[in-house]
């Protein structure tokens, strides 16, 4: 059985977390009060090896996956992640991308490009150091991330997507400065609604700035017009500046759910498969990699899990569901 046949929502996009650790402590993802020195991060021996990740990636591609995103935690703190990129880049026909906080890009952008990474997204929540320090929890400077973006640009990544999560009362005042900065840069700024991922960020609905409000703020200063998605099921809604200064995207996971088109699977760094970002449980695939199960058998196991999928969390979100225990985004991969 091929996943393309299953429930009208084939599997197309695989997000692989390569580590659950991070050098940031973003308030909306890994608040430092929870993710301190005592936090039970995965141990090195629990992580999938690069060979195991490569093997699973090939099986997923057989099942219809066209795009693989390396994420985490912070993918650039996984030792020698460039070697993994090099292995995955050899799989024919996949769009290989990465999401990173950008802090290590100044030294890694070129080697990632040489290893075969095709595209990169960099997260940046403000251009104001004080606001950014509150958002990232550990005083990382804006300058370092901007240097990372520059290094990625110089290495040949273009356009770069810049992901900005908006939390009301914290960085909503940074929407316009970020729009001004990235207009005419060729990069694509994407505003992301603050989500109730995991169980540690203390999410409240009144801290979500709806995408419609974000678009209105930008449009008042820099008139926008909506444009067509690049492909069916694209998560970001696209807008272009009417004066030709480029485009932005908004990801309205909270106020305009898009579960019906969701074709994303997620694999944690220790090899568990999750069919939804808001899942409470995953399926351990690492056991099969380590007990002589054949590729065909693993393919059938994944098909069976996917065929039973009925996830639509964002369509049924409520204050009650927000309190249900969910897997952390840093573990499952953003
Ligand atoms: N560390 C990398 C980074 O920050 O880009 C990759 C992992 S991070 C979990 C992936 C993406 O998820 C980032 O763009 C981040 O801003 C976003 N994210 C994390 N927590 C979020 C939340 N509560 N709501 C919306 N987006 C979130
Ligand atoms: Fe780290 Fe990315 Fe989560 Fe921020 S959003 S804490 S950079 S994994
Ligand atoms: Fe996909 Fe789950 Fe997000 Fe819906 S809530 S779009 S099913 S990951």
């Amino acid at each position: 059985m091929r996943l393309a046949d299953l429930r009208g929502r084939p599997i197309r996009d695989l997000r692989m977390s390569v580590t659950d650790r991070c050098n940031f402590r973003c308030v909306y993802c890994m608040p430092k009060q929870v993710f301190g020195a005592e936090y039970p991060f995965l141990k090195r021996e629990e992580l999938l090896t690069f060979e195991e990740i490569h093997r699973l990636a090939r099986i997923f591609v057989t099942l219809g996956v066209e795009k693989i995103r390396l994420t985490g935690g912070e993918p650039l703190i996984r030792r020698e992640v460039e070697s993994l990129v090099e292995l995955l880049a050899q799989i024919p026909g996949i769009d290989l991308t990465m999401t990173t906080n950008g802090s290590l890009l100044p030294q890694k952008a070129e080697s990632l490009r040489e290893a075969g990474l095709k595209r990169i997204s960099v997260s940046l929540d403000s251009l104001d150091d004080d606001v950014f320090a509150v958002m990232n929890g550990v005083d990382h400077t804006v300058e370092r991330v901007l240097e990372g973006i520059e290094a990625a640009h110089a290495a040949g990544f273009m356009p770069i997507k810049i992901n900005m999560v908006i939390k009301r009362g914290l960085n909503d005042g940074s929407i316009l400065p970020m729009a001004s900065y990235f207009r005419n840069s060729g990069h694509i700024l994407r505003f992301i609604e603050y989500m109730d991922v995991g169980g540690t960020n203390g999410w409240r609905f009144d801290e979500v700035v709806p995408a419609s409000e974000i678009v209105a703020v930008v449009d008042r200063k820099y008139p926008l017009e909506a444009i067509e998605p690049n492909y069916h099921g694209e998560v970001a809604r696209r807008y272009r500046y009417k004066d030709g200064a480029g485009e932005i995207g908004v990801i309205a996971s909270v106020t305009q759910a898009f579960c019906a088109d969701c074709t994303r699977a997620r694999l944690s760094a220790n090899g568990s498969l999750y069919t939804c970002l808001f899942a409470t449980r995953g399926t351990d695939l690492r056991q099969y990699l380590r007990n002589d199960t054949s590729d065909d058998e693993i393919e059938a196991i994944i098909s069976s899990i996917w065929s039973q999928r009925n996830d639509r969390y964002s369509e049924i979100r409520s204050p009650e569901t927000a309190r249900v225990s969910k897997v952390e985004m840093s573990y499952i991969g953003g």
Side-chain angles (χ1 to χ4, degrees):
M1 179 167 32
R2 286 288 180 265
L3 293 177
D5 305 321
L6 300 177
R7 289 183 172 239
R9 289 195 297 181
I11 188 170
R12 289 275 180 259
D13 182 348
L14 176 63
R15 298 182 174 211
M16 295 179 135
S17 168
V18 293
T19 176
D20 62 340
R21 293 170 192 255
C22 188
N23 54 344
F24 282 24
R25 289 290 178 275
C26 298
V27 288
Y28 48 77
C29 176
M30 295 178 80
K32 60 181 168 205
Q33 299 79 353
V34 179
F35 291 83
E38 303 300 306
Y39 189 82
F41 289 106
L42 294 171
K43 297 185 191 61
R44 195 167 170 75
E45 63 272 17
E46 292 180 274
L47 303 181
L48 294 186
T49 64
F50 290 169
E51 289 69 28
E52 288 170 333
I53 294 175
H54 179 234
R55 182 174 169 207
L56 274 182
R58 279 190 291 108
I59 295 171
F60 273 100
V61 167
T62 314
L63 286 165
V65 161
E66 296 164 345
K67 180 158 132 192
I68 295 182
R69 179 174 298 278
L70 298 178
T71 175
E74 173 47 42
L76 293 183
I77 65 170
R78 175 85 189 245
R79 211 182 302 161
E80 292 171 24
V81 72
E82 297 89 336
S83 310
L84 174 64
V85 169
E86 207 171 326
L87 268 181
L88 296 176
Q90 289 162 22
I91 303 175
I94 59 155
D95 180 13
L96 185 60
T97 74
M98 177 182 281
T99 306
T100 169
N101 63 32
S103 61
L104 296 173
L105 273 179
Q107 62 261 45
K108 289 197 175 261
E110 215 169 287
S111 52
L112 288 167
R113 188 70 183 175
E114 277 165 15
L117 190 67
K118 293 216 177 79
R119 296 188 295 120
I120 203 155
S121 302
V122 180
S123 303
L124 176 63
D125 297 326
S126 182
L127 292 170
D128 178 314
D129 266 324
D130 293 334
V131 175
F132 188 50
V134 174
M135 294 296 276
N136 69 52
V138 282
D139 289 340
H140 273 279
T141 60
V142 172
E143 194 185 347
R144 181 79 183 152
V145 180
L146 293 178
E147 277 169 21
I149 293 169
E150 273 316 304
H153 186 182
F157 293 102
M158 191 67 195
I160 298 168
K161 287 182 179 153
I162 314 292
N163 287 345
M164 174 181 180
V165 176
I166 320 288
K167 187 171 172 190
R168 194 182 294 284
L170 261 188
N171 68 335
D172 38 351
S174 299
I175 294 172
L176 269 183
M178 285 281 284
S180 303
Y181 185 87
F182 287 105
R183 273 164 50 84
N184 290 312
S185 68
H187 305 315
I188 302 172
L189 177 60
R190 305 195 312 168
F191 300 99
I192 304 178
E193 287 181 349
Y194 171 41
M195 294 186 287
D196 52 331
V197 290
T200 57
N201 64 10
W203 183 87
R204 292 204 330 246
F205 188 73
D206 60 6
E207 292 171 336
V208 179
V209 180
S212 54
E213 189 178 324
I214 297 168
V215 171
V217 167
V218 179
D219 180 62
R220 264 197 299 277
K221 173 106 195 245
Y222 304 116
L224 293 167
E225 62 194 353
I227 49 179
E228 289 296 308
N230 286 310
Y231 53 88
H232 179 75
E234 186 173 29
V235 168
R237 291 170 187 235
R238 301 171 64 207
Y239 294 85
R240 114 174 113 217
Y241 292 112
K242 284 187 178 160
D243 63 3
E247 71 173 83
I248 61 165
V250 284
I251 304 183
S253 337
V254 176
T255 61
Q256 297 159 32
F258 37 74
C259 299
D261 290 327
C262 177
T263 55
R264 282 178 296 284
R266 290 181 160 85
L267 188 72
S268 64
N270 59 346
S272 285
L273 172 65
Y274 290 83
T275 59
C276 177
L277 177 56
F278 298 91
T280 40
R281 266 192 315 277
T283 305
D284 175 21
L285 297 181
R286 188 184 58 186
Q287 58 176 317
Y288 303 113
L289 296 169
R290 296 187 180 174
N291 75 359
D292 286 340
T293 308
S294 70
D295 284 7
D296 282 352
E297 285 164 329
I298 295 176
E299 187 182 319
I301 290 164
I302 299 171
S303 274
S304 155
I305 295 164
W306 196 262
S307 67
Q308 291 164 46
R309 174 181 193 242
N310 58 2
D311 306 291
R312 54 186 195 97
Y313 179 86
S314 286
E315 291 177 356
I316 56 167
R317 175 183 284 107
S318 71
E320 285 68 43
T321 62
R323 280 197 292 274
V324 171
S325 108
K326 301 176 230 92
V327 64
E328 291 300 322
M329 193 170 189
S330 53
Y331 170 76
I332 197 179

